[in-house]
């Protein structure tokens, strides 16, 4: 009988439901579970070794005891999951063979047993020596696709438009700004530190950028950069920035609601939007969206963005944490802006 190798499988579990901003104490890196490095016969499953985990703000929504969203909540006491990259080790699924590199929703653990289903957004990665593998979580992954679908499908850009992007150096914002520049737009980004503002202006090619923490009056800041008003606001933060953008939109302006990372709580918001009335006389369109609604244009996105990257027309910044032990801190850091660019955790060396 063949000897099946057994290994310990470290994992990150959610200790309890969280309503506000998550902390490291809400999660725990757990040892002690040993697994067989084999996919059970007849299971149609395949076993992967996880290489990279993506930290994304939407994951906070799954930490709540709330069942009315587009994704079910995590289960306290069990491992959490999110987008990641993994290598197939053993397979009982004819579509996946050992050595394949896949992206999709995987467990926050060292090894995951997966069964193919649409909800996991699984796809095989074609390796390309010009593109770092981890970019398939950011630039060429869910974050990059969110930027692409949101900008082209929701914002309907025209050459010469004035575009404002919040959380502009983050995983999504940095690509929105660069796509807008390539489209012939005037682009301004906001971020939360001098270092991020410098990156926006000198590395990512934004026309202007400002540190919102240094602006006593956000309305005055927007009027300084957009004296004629804003055609497109790509909103990653919600809250007071969305409120003040509503005062500065042009007639028929478009607002893409992508994220609300500034909110202290997702369920009981103490902060309302006061300036929504402006949407009527200015005929502003506000639309929330999910990248998963646009997966039919994913091949087009890959082709375009890969091309731009290889031609040197866009760059991408990622923030890499080493080791699954650092995953909780990396995820929590998103909500205080600790990350510079797309936050990724390397679980294992390729």
């Amino acid at each position: 009988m063949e000897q099946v190798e057994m290994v310990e499988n470290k994992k990150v579990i959610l200790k309890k439901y969280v309503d506000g901003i998550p902390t490291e104490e809400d999660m725990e890196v757990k040892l002690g579970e040993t697994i067989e490095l084999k996919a059970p016969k007849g299971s149609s499953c395949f076993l992967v070794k996880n290489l990279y985990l993506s930290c994304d703000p939407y994951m906070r929504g799954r930490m709540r005891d709330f069942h009315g969203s587009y994704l079910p909540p995590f289960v306290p006491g069990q491992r959490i999951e999110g987008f990641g990259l993994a290598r197939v080790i053993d397979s009982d699924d004819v579509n996946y063979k050992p050595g394949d590199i896949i992206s999709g929703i995987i467990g926050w653990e060292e090894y995951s047993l997966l069964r193919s289903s649409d909800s996991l957004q699984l796809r095989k990665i074609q390796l390309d020596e010009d593109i770092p593998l981890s970019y398939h979580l950011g630039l060429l992954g869910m974050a990059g696709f969110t930027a692409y679908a949101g900008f082209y499908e929701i914002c309907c850009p025209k050459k010469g438009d004035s575009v404002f992007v919040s959380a502009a150096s983050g995983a999504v914002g940095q690509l929105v700004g660069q796509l807008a520049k390539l489209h012939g737009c005037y682009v301004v980004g906001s971020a939360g530190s001098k270092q991020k503002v410098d990156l926006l202006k000198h590395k990512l090619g934004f026309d202007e950028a400002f540190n919102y923490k240094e602006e006593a009056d956000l309305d005055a800041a927007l009027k300084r950069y957009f004296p004629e008003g804003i055609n497109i606001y790509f909103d990653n933060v919600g809250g007071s920035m969305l409120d003040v953008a509503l005062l500065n939109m042009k007639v028929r302006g478009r607002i893409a609601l992508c994220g609300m990372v500034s909110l202290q709580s997702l369920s009981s918001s103490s902060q309302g939007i006061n300036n929504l009335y402006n949407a009527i006389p200015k005929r502003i369109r506000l639309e929330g969206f999910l990248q998963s609604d646009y997966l039919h244009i994913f091949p087009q996105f890959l082709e375009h963005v890969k091309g731009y990257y290889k031609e040197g027309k866009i760059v991408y910044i990622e923030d890499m944490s080493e080791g699954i032990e650092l995953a909780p801190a990396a995820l929590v850091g998103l909500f205080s802006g600790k990350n510079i660019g797309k936050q990724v955790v390397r679980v294992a060396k390729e």
Side-chain angles (χ1 to χ4, degrees):
M1 216 177 114
E2 65 172 315
Q3 194 60 37
V4 177
E5 191 186 346
M6 304 289 290
V7 292
E8 190 162 53
N9 190 22
K10 259 186 226 164
K11 52 184 64 188
V12 178
I13 65 163
L14 180 69
K15 293 208 284 209
K16 59 179 192 312
Y17 286 126
V18 183
D19 183 44
I21 291 174
T23 66
E24 286 181 60
E25 287 66 49
D26 295 321
M27 290 167 273
E28 181 184 1
V29 179
K30 212 163 185 183
L31 290 162
E33 188 211 32
T34 54
I35 61 157
E36 284 188 349
L37 288 188
K38 196 151 184 59
K41 278 269 176 288
S43 65
S44 301
C45 291
F46 55 101
L47 183 76
V48 297
K49 180 180 174 69
N50 296 329
L51 303 174
Y52 293 96
L53 303 175
S54 175
C55 296
D56 298 296
Y58 83 88
M59 295 171 70
R60 169 165 82 141
R62 299 192 67 185
M63 294 181 162
R64 302 174 297 160
D65 187 6
F66 180 70
H67 296 260
S69 186
Y70 64 102
L71 287 170
F74 296 137
V75 179
Q78 292 185 18
R79 61 122 169 93
I80 65 174
E81 62 182 18
F83 284 94
L85 291 164
R87 190 175 66 246
V88 178
I89 295 178
D90 190 51
S91 178
D92 190 55
D93 179 331
V94 291
N95 298 304
Y96 297 95
K97 59 183 192 300
D100 286 348
I101 302 284
I102 59 117
S103 76
I105 293 181
I106 60 176
W108 273 36
E109 57 196 346
E110 292 175 295
Y111 298 89
S112 291
L113 191 61
L114 302 175
R115 179 180 279 118
S116 189
S117 81
D118 290 346
S119 61
L120 297 181
Q121 285 192 42
L122 293 172
R123 61 177 68 88
K124 283 187 208 175
I125 300 297
Q126 302 304 315
L127 295 180
D128 185 323
E129 59 193 19
D130 299 327
I131 297 174
L133 180 57
S134 56
Y135 277 25
H136 286 277
L137 288 181
L139 179 66
L140 300 175
M142 190 270 286
F145 186 52
T146 298
Y148 186 91
F151 184 62
Y152 292 115
E153 302 290 317
I154 307 290
C155 297
C156 310
K158 295 192 266 302
K159 191 176 176 188
D161 275 349
S162 293
V163 176
F164 175 46
V165 186
S166 54
S169 69
V172 175
Q174 58 175 308
L175 186 56
V176 172
Q178 292 180 90
L179 292 174
K181 284 303 297 174
L182 288 168
H183 203 78
C185 301
Y186 165 76
V187 186
V188 178
S190 65
S193 73
K194 180 185 183 309
Q195 182 187 5
K196 291 177 181 180
V197 168
D198 287 346
L199 282 171
L200 290 170
K201 291 205 285 203
H202 305 305
K203 185 164 183 183
L204 295 165
F206 283 59
D207 293 293
E208 291 288 349
F210 65 91
N211 180 350
Y212 68 89
K213 292 175 183 170
E214 290 180 351
E215 299 291 343
D217 182 344
L218 289 174
D219 184 39
L222 289 187
K223 286 182 168 48
R224 189 163 77 236
Y225 293 110
F226 299 99
E228 308 283 303
I230 300 167
N231 296 106
I232 290 171
Y233 172 38
F234 197 102
D235 181 29
N236 291 306
V237 299
S240 53
M241 193 67 88
L242 172 59
D243 219 4
V244 79
L246 282 161
L247 295 174
N248 288 279
M249 299 300 291
K250 285 187 180 178
V251 169
R252 303 214 185 279
R254 285 85 71 201
I255 298 179
L257 301 173
C258 177
M260 303 229 164
V261 78
S262 75
L263 300 188
Q264 293 301 306
S265 165
L266 297 179
S267 36
S268 54
S269 181
S270 53
Q271 187 183 21
I273 295 293
N274 299 310
N275 300 323
L276 196 55
Y277 167 73
N278 293 272
I280 301 171
K282 295 219 181 136
R283 286 85 94 195
I284 299 165
R285 181 162 64 79
L286 295 89
E287 187 173 347
F289 73 100
L290 298 175
Q291 53 84 26
S292 49
D293 292 340
Y294 296 93
L295 291 173
H296 57 281
I297 61 166
F298 194 89
Q300 169 196 321
F301 149 75
L302 267 188
E303 185 190 338
H304 285 168
V305 175
K306 257 187 189 168
Y308 287 145
Y309 180 75
K310 289 186 174 185
E311 291 161 26
K313 290 181 176 170
I314 53 177
V315 295
Y316 200 68
I317 300 166
E318 63 177 9
D319 195 327
M320 184 76 72
S321 294
E322 295 285 347
I324 196 166
E325 297 77 13
L326 294 181
L331 179 58
V332 167
L334 295 175
F335 302 100
S336 58
K338 276 204 177 72
N339 56 305
I340 312 278
K342 166 74 196 156
Q343 183 66 62
V344 177
V345 177
R346 194 196 324 256
V347 181
K349 294 273 192 286
E350 296 147 54

